[in-house]
Amino acid sequence: MADHAAAHAVHDPNIGNTGLDNRKVGMWAFLGSDCMFFGSLIGTYLAYKGKSISGPLPHEVFDIPLTSYSAALLLASSLTMVLALAALQQNRVKTAARWLFVTAMLGLHFVLNQVYEFTTFVLHHGLTLSTSLFGSSFFVLTGFHGAHVTGGVIWLLMLVTLAMRGKLDARDYTKVEIAGLYWHFVDIVWIAIFTVIYLIP
Amino acid sequence: MATQAAFMPGSKVETETFWGTVWSWLTTVDHKRIGILYGTSAFIFFLVGGIEALIMRLQLARPDNTLVGPERFNELFTMHGTTMIFLAVMPLSAAFFNYMIPLMIGARDVAFPRLNALSYWIFLSGALFLNSSWLFGLAPDGGWFGYANLTSVQFSPRHTIDFWMLGLQILGVSSMLAGFNFLVTIINMRAPGMTLMRMPVFIWMSFVTQFLLVLAFPAITVALILLMFDRFFGTLFYAPAAGGDPLLWQHLFWIFGHPEVYILILPAMGIVSEVLPTFSRKPLFGAPVVIYSGIMIGFFGFGVWSHHMFSVGMGPVADAAFSISTMLIAVPTGVKILNWIGTLWGGTIRFRTPLYFSLGFIAMFTMGGLSGVMHASPPVDLQQTDTYFVVAHFHYVLFGGSIFGLFSGIYYWWPKITGKLLDERLGLWHFWSMMLGFNMTFFPQHYLGLIGMPRRIYTYAPDLGWNFWNLISTIGAFLIAVSLLFFIANVIKTRRSGAVAGNDPWDARTLEWSIPSPPPVYNFARLPQVQDRDDFWLQKYGDGHGGAPRPKGGPVTAAEIAAIHMPPTSYWPLLLALALGVMVSGLMISMVQVAIGGVLTLVLMYKFAMELHRPPTGHGH
Amino acid sequence: MIQPPATAPHPRKRFDWTLACLLGAVLVLACSCSAVGWNWDTPMSTVIPKSDFGKMTHGIFMLISWWTLGIFIAVEAMLVFVCWRFRDRAGAAIPKQVHGHTALEVGWTIAFAVILLVFAIPTIRVIFKTQEAPAATALRVEVVGKQWWWEFRYPQFKITTANELHLPVGQTATFQLNAPDVIHSFWMPQLGGKRDVVPHRMNQLTLTPDTPGDYPGQCAEYCGMSHANMRFRVIVHPPAEFEKWVKSQQAPPVESADALAQQGKTIFTQSACVGCHTITGISAGHIGPDLTHFASRARFAGSLMESTPDNLVKWIENPDHMKPGALMPNLGMTGEQSKALAAFLLSLK
Ligand code: HEA
Ligand code: HEA
Ligand code: CUA
Ligand SMILES: [Cu+2]
């Protein structure tokens, strides 16, 4: 067993001498960096909070129930992501694929909600990128989070198709696990953004 | 394991035909070749940035000079600063990361070889994109830190700023990808037995640098994204009229900008920390302390950014706080300086070109650092900020520091990389003429700053007492150019008739010297078992107090080599970088192009990801 | 002791004396010619302060300078000594592999910290001292930085002028800095440090000039094409003289009967000039400098040129040529018209 592990270490180019998987360490590094990215964006939003000299105010446009529902969707999707991983570990590829799909769909639903939210802001409240500092910082911050989610959805759907075509099984656990790391991160970031933008008056 | 033949070191790569060779470089994923690519590109951009500087110096040689007008001059200092920092010093350091990190930690490649290639190609496309602005007569002219709101559409309506802002975003992606790659490589790919505290100090400094890269670049990325939205999509982030605060840019930029300057110096400090022990034939004095102070510098580096903003009126409390945090950084840096001197102390110092450059580093960087400490005192800085005193400060740290350090590394590792030793005689001529020219150029700028010469002025009145020393400074700059010609001559001479180096020309201390020069594709036939920071030295001489030299292992068998698994070449990195370039440049041309580029990028990312999804080798089980 | 391998690739080479001497000689040369070439008493010198503010900051500058100079010499001396003392001598054995010396390292770490404390304490003191709220008696001057010239307003005297700042010696002046366009930086080198002029942000700078004189000033933050030409003058008067200046500025412009000047006046009033320039009783434009007392100013256009007739003619006929990017358009005035305009403007004492 032990020497099998050793042999593995030699043959699998992804496992480093610490026994950690390169791709996993890499993803952690990326997430650390992405924290700074969202940190800067959130900082900008806070710096401009209440500094707008025109245009609708946050509380006039926000639809808290809707965004809470969106938040719930993302939270749920984190759960389904975990279930997908569990299934894959036991090599129940079909189930895993199903859960991955559900996760992607929850994510998609979140994005669509955001699209809906944005359009109402623009059409009914006349709040656009260039209306006020609030408009600028709100759309850019939430927009970049939305982009992260979209990217995640695409990634998940790729994994699903791979699974359907029988190109994904327990051996690829790490690949999916990494997608999971990313997904949970995007989820947590949303909690932060949701609190900062929608909940703190 | 038959299929492994396909990935035998060299197969596919080595080829006789010219185009075959070109192709092998375009598709290489070998960290050594990528290192060479980084190095050559960076040196060329160094010459470009230098020539820009020479033109500036010519313009400033006389008062009321009319060699170039204000537009051109503003473009020159903007491109000079941007080029030197992002296209010369950073990639030159990256060249050493690429080539040396795997060799010094006893690995066969970096963690993600293809990602590594991708970093390079993205860097190159960004660099070319940025410099292509010259061709359109639209070279950026906002200064290397492009302060808002001068960069807004209202005050910079032409595409100049767009080239700068988009180019820097591309380069940022490249730097961050490289950062992730080397972080993982250093954390995960160290040879058995190489604990963190056994890592060579160059690796440690590189390690800290990677942290700075991945944590600092997001800040400027956001700053640039906000600027991009302001310019392209009408947001108001930097629009005072709408309540936006131009100082937001300054904060975001310098939160990146100060860590950035340590990104520029730490690799050089790492090089010096390798060169001094080798040539004084002693281990680095107080290596752990040097390492800890490196970490400290990186850490404090994030808490001092506002020392670039002492004159914006942040109020006394902020001024005081940032002043103190800035001064603190002098402590770990000073500790390093004295530890380096301590390394020389009691050694038997062999004076070779690499050592000269390291000594030059200590001598000149100290000067720059000390003027930095003057800036750290806001009352003093109020007089010095935006004058040539600051220009002198940062050239002493950037040129006297980074450039001297990097040249030390070039002379030190050249034999390892090419198998030939650079010529000592020309090397010394290079060193002394550069030392002389450098001080002639920049020392007088301290004085010019103190008698009130502002930076970024394309002309000045003749009656201010600035004429003589500006002329000297210009002459000095050309002496630097001459010194670089010595270097270029040295390279040519060495290619023709350089002395063969052998594995270990300097009787050095670290792993890279235990293998042939240049190293085989797979670096180490047998992964070393590391027992000390100066492991190779111990192999040769024992630990100096009793411990005997280590017996060499038996000869390497063909079977061992056959069993080595090296990644195949790949053209996806190159294509992906191109697609990215198409997408980004589209922002200035048409959204259609952006869309096309975007889709291409996505598809290629998929291809890239799938290429090794099921390596033909398959896994052990 | 283990001897180094017999096959040392290079012949042992000693410290390179020839080159060292060369450098030494050059340094001596440089220093000597420096001694000649270093005159600190120049128009924009920062090291001969002429105000309380300047003197305070200069004190710290000197303090830090002397200490750092000492440190610099110490470090370089150590470096040279070590290189000379421990240079490789023929047949030298491998040196003792010393790994460090904790006491030493802790020692100098603390030493540095202490030295920095010596810098930090007066620094903090001066930071707060120089940023106190100005006394109510202080002379208030509104400074407006524009691409690429300066406007100075004295609200309590109702005076507006351009590119020429007048101050009474010995009285505290507090400058309220603002910019309508981009960031500039207000700097009078001989009177003290700069303060940035940031759009939609009211910055303040307070100081008390203590020596009468005529000092150059400069915009010190890169602000676009003619940043280098965004200069101004500060004239520090004895109190009585300052009073006289205030009176003359408050008085309406003296009309000259000179025919050419009169002709210039009509041209001025009938052309676009009025849209941008204020001349009390004639026009009320606000884009360009107030010209009411133009002739009282020795220099114009960001203190770039002397106010001579032909400079003015050149300026009026092609501002952009005299000052690249100048935001005053070329109004296609012919020689005659511009001569008249110049005469008119120079009559505005
Ligand atoms: C390699 C890059 C590099 C490095 C390493 C440094 C190092 C330092 N820098 Fe510098 N800096 C720049 C690059 C760098 N800088 C650049 C590019 C700019 C201009 C940006 C722009 O405006 O374009 C700048 C500008 C800059 C400013 C703003 C000036 C202004 O615009 O008004 C300040 C202010 O505090 C500053 C301070 C410092 C300090 C305190 C250090 C310290 O880290 C130095 C520490 C080292 C020493 C002190 C010497 C060795 C120590 C000893 C021998 C021990 C004994 C010493 C004491 C006890 C004092 N720097
Ligand atoms: C690592 C960074 C780095 C380096 C190495 C340099 C190198 C040099 N810099 Fe640089 N400089 C900056 C970073 C750097 N600079 C930055 C960040 C700024 C601020 C920009 C801003 O304000 O926005 C600046 C600004 C700056 C200014 C101030 C401009 C202004 O404010 O108006 C000046 C003026 O003298 C100057 C001069 C020089 C000179 C003479 C060199 C020389 O040392 C150059 C040496 C190189 C050469 C001389 C080229 C060699 C060429 C040949 C050998 C010819 C061979 C030809 C062929 C083979 C085709 N620099
Ligand atoms: Cu105004 Cu520079
Ligand atoms: Cu800094």
Side-chain angles (χ1 to χ4, degrees), chain C residues 148 183-184 219-223 227 230:
Chain C
W148 288 275
I183 302 179
H184 307 272
C219 172
E221 186 62 77
Y222 175 60
C223 54
H227 160 64
M230 188 167 167

Side-chain angles (χ1 to χ4, degrees), chain A residues 157-172:
Chain A
L157 289 178
M158 282 180 179
L159 290 174
V160 174
T161 41
L162 281 182
M164 305 308 261
R165 288 157 50 203
K167 287 194 173 179
L168 197 83
D169 57 44
R171 278 177 298 167
D172 306 298

Side-chain angles (χ1 to χ4, degrees), chain B residues 84-258:
Chain B
M84 286 299 195
I85 284 182
F86 294 98
L87 309 185
V89 172
M90 282 181 75
L92 214 48
S93 311
F96 287 117
F97 299 155
N98 268 282
Y99 207 104
M100 288 306 154
I101 287 177
L103 295 188
M104 292 176 87
I105 63 174
R108 294 210 165 107
D109 206 320
V110 296
F112 309 107
R114 292 180 313 149
L115 194 66
N116 198 21
L118 181 61
S119 304
Y120 171 73
W121 293 116
I122 294 181
F123 156 74
L124 191 64
S125 57
L128 294 177
F129 174 77
L130 189 59
N131 278 280
S132 67
S133 60
W134 286 113
L135 306 178
F136 303 100
L138 289 169
D141 56 2
W144 89 277
F145 48 69
Y147 273 0
N149 54 340
L150 183 61
T151 52
S152 62
V153 178
Q154 184 189 352
F155 297 105
S156 302
R158 301 180 314 145
H159 275 310
T160 55
I161 301 299
D162 300 336
F163 271 104
W164 181 78
M165 136 190 116
L166 297 173
L168 284 195
Q169 286 185 65
I170 301 177
L171 292 165
V173 172
S174 155
S175 302
M176 281 193 272
L177 290 180
F180 302 137
N181 206 341
F182 290 120
L183 271 180
V184 178
T185 307
I186 295 175
I187 291 171
N188 226 21
M189 311 277 286
R190 280 165 288 136
M194 182 175 280
T195 58
L196 285 178
M197 287 319 280
R198 284 182 191 167
M199 293 198 305
V201 176
F202 173 72
I203 301 299
W204 256 112
M205 294 307 122
S206 314
F207 196 36
V208 177
T209 306
Q210 308 312 322
F211 274 102
L212 294 182
L213 274 169
V214 300
L215 294 180
F217 264 80
I220 190 180
T221 308
V222 167
L224 289 164
I225 286 174
L226 302 187
L227 178 61
M228 180 170 75
F229 272 72
D230 271 10
R231 287 184 64 88
F232 291 150
F233 312 121
T235 52
L236 306 166
F237 291 104
Y238 306 124
D245 186 354
L247 296 189
L248 172 67
W249 168 273
Q250 295 192 18
H251 283 291
L252 286 172
F253 184 91
W254 291 118
I255 287 174
F256 150 82
H258 191 84

